[in-house]
């Protein structure tokens, strides 16, 4: 039997009683969706998975996005991307610097991202403690605690999100090995527009959908006003009281809800402390569909 143990924190729960080498039952899928709506970040510990298991599990939630360069995908399961600082023969085996600043995956697409699924294959350790935490911030709480005047001000406003914002910030970092995006790569990731306030498709709660990684412009206001709004929202949403730090263990499978959270990867480990994650980035192509709601979210 699947059991949900909420963490003593603003976000997160541990899921006991699942072995993701076996296909997920419909009942367990329903339970996981509900738990995702409630806790946003779900840890399924001690999973000994092949990449295809990670892909099969992820595909239950929606379509999986592959990388813009087409690089760093697992040979046995093309939906699975590799995040790693490990090099073989001097060549990176995965993306070495993924997610190292606050963002929400795929907010730059028209479809938006729904969840990420990460399976921890190697976790850097120092003095018996894991390094390379992933931090999350709760955008339900961020919305709820906005001053009423700000809630009114952003209601009905939308923002433009651009993949290149995050990419270029990384390129500009000292020591970065990322090349700027080519014209073709930029064409593959055109900017997208989304309301600043979303109603969450599972919990029905209002969430602040905005992130410093990709949101670059509030639409239909002047440039100065856009900058003022974004500056306020970014500072508001990243307050420590909304944050939760996830400490990895080998075998953890973590899934998190992009619609209700921001996240950032903490690069506090060195080249001699290997980190290896297998990842699927799942789109919100299904979760907003009435058919999906009928099948999986409405009470039976
Ligand atoms: C991601 C990401 C965080 C991490 O996979 O989208 O940002 O800790 N990764 O690897
Ligand atoms: Mn990310």
């Amino acid at each position: 039997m699947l059991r949900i143990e909420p963490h003593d924190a603003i976000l997160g729960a541990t899921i006991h009683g699942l072995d993701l080498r076996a296909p997920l039952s419909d009942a367990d899928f329903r339970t996981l969706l509900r738990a995702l709506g409630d806790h946003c970040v779900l840890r399924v510990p001690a999973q000994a998975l092949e990449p295809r298991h990670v892909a099969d599990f992820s595909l239950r939630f929606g379509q999986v996005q592959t990388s813009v360069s087409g690089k760093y995908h697992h040979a046995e399961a093309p939906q699975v991307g590799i995040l790693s600082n490990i090099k073989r023969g001097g060549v990176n085996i995965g993306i070495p610097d993924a997610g190292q600043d606050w963002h929400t995956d795929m907010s730059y697409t028209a479809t938006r991202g729904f969840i990420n699924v990460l399976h921890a294959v190697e976790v850097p350790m120092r003095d018996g403690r894991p390094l390379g935490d992933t931090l999350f911030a709760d955008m339900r709480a961020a919305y709820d605690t906005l001053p009423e005047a700000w809630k009114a001000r952003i209601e009905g406003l939308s923002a433009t999100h651009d993949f290149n914002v995050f990419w270029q910030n990384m390129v500009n970092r000292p020591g970065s090995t990322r090349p700027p995006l080519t014209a073709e790569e930029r064409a593959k990731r055109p900017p997208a527009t989304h309301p600043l306030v979303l109603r969450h498709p599972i919990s029905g709660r209002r969430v602040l959908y905005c992130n410093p990684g990709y949101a670059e412009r509030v639409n239909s206001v002047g440039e100065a006003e856009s900058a003022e709004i974004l500056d306020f929202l970014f500072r508001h949403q990243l307050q420590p009281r909304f944050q939760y730090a996830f400490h990895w263990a080998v075998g953890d499978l973590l899934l998190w809800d992009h619609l209700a959270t921001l996240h950032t990867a903490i690069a506090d480990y060195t080249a001699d402390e290997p980190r290896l994650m297998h990842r699927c980035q799942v789109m919100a192509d299904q979760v907003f569909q009435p058919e999906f709601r009928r099948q999986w979210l409405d009470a039976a």
Side-chain angles (χ1 to χ4, degrees):
M1 252 315 262
L2 193 159
R3 186 168 63 81
I4 299 162
E5 179 197 347
H7 296 166
D8 185 15
I10 192 164
L11 293 165
T14 295
I15 309 295
H16 300 279
L18 266 188
D19 178 353
L20 296 177
R21 283 173 303 187
L24 190 66
S25 72
D26 286 357
D28 285 351
F29 181 55
R30 272 199 190 89
T31 307
L32 280 185
L33 283 172
R34 285 277 162 218
L36 201 59
D38 291 342
H39 307 290
C40 306
V41 179
L42 303 180
R43 168 183 180 241
V44 190
Q47 300 293 304
L49 305 177
E50 300 297 327
R52 71 191 153 85
H53 297 127
V54 178
D56 288 348
F57 173 74
S58 302
L59 286 164
R60 290 295 296 270
F61 294 84
Q63 238 178 52
V64 171
Q65 171 180 272
T66 52
S67 76
V68 66
S69 64
K71 274 168 49 177
Y72 304 134
H73 285 277
H74 205 283
E76 290 156 30
Q79 300 94 342
V80 176
I82 300 172
L83 309 184
S84 189
N85 62 342
I86 300 172
K87 291 186 181 188
R88 292 230 173 88
V91 180
N92 285 109
I93 66 163
I95 306 172
D97 58 357
Q100 294 176 0
D101 214 337
W102 286 101
H103 67 288
T104 299
D105 284 31
M106 299 169 303
S107 71
Y108 52 82
T109 67
T111 315
R112 291 182 285 243
F114 174 27
I115 61 166
N116 261 19
V117 178
L118 255 66
H119 183 233
V121 182
E122 290 192 57
V123 174
M125 301 287 293
R126 199 183 297 159
D127 305 325
R129 312 211 4 211
L131 300 169
D133 283 0
T134 308
L135 305 190
F136 296 90
D138 186 342
M139 292 304 109
R140 306 166 302 177
Y143 179 79
D144 289 345
T145 55
L146 280 173
E148 290 306 318
W150 273 96
K151 285 183 183 163
R153 185 171 183 190
I154 66 172
E155 191 67 36
L157 286 182
S158 69
T160 299
H161 298 242
D162 190 339
F163 183 62
N164 193 50
V165 171
F166 192 90
W167 193 279
Q168 199 54 45
N169 285 341
M170 292 300 293
V171 170
N172 293 342
R173 279 194 187 182
S176 167
T177 57
R178 286 196 194 203
L181 290 176
T182 64
E184 296 93 283
E185 285 169 337
R186 286 202 69 170
K188 275 197 223 166
R189 295 271 196 271
T193 284
H194 302 295
L196 286 171
V197 182
L198 295 184
R199 195 170 279 285
H200 194 277
I202 303 176
S203 67
R205 287 181 61 174
R206 291 183 156 232
V207 294
L208 178 59
Y209 194 73
C210 180
N211 70 87
Y214 298 115
E216 67 167 355
R217 182 72 162 82
V218 178
N219 303 314
S220 74
V221 298
E223 204 149 309
E225 187 174 356
S226 163
E228 182 213 335
I229 294 173
L230 289 179
D231 180 62
F232 174 83
L233 294 178
F234 295 160
R235 277 186 292 115
H236 174 78
Q237 70 186 169
L238 292 178
Q239 293 174 67
R241 64 180 167 142
F242 305 140
Q243 293 180 23
Y244 164 65
F246 181 73
H247 314 298
W248 291 91
V250 167
D252 280 341
L253 181 124
L254 197 72
L255 57 151
W256 70 81
D257 178 346
H258 288 310
L259 299 166
T261 65
L262 264 54
H263 64 280
T264 179
I266 302 300
D268 57 355
Y269 49 92
T270 67
D272 304 323
E273 295 166 316
R275 186 179 198 262
L276 174 59
M277 300 278 167
H278 287 162
R279 169 174 82 170
C280 285
Q281 295 176 288
V282 182
M283 308 299 300
D285 58 325
Q286 291 179 24
V287 71
F288 284 102
Q289 300 295 325
E291 181 50 36
F292 187 91
R293 159 158 297 283
R294 248 195 315 278
Q295 189 171 3
W296 301 113
L297 295 173
D298 286 345

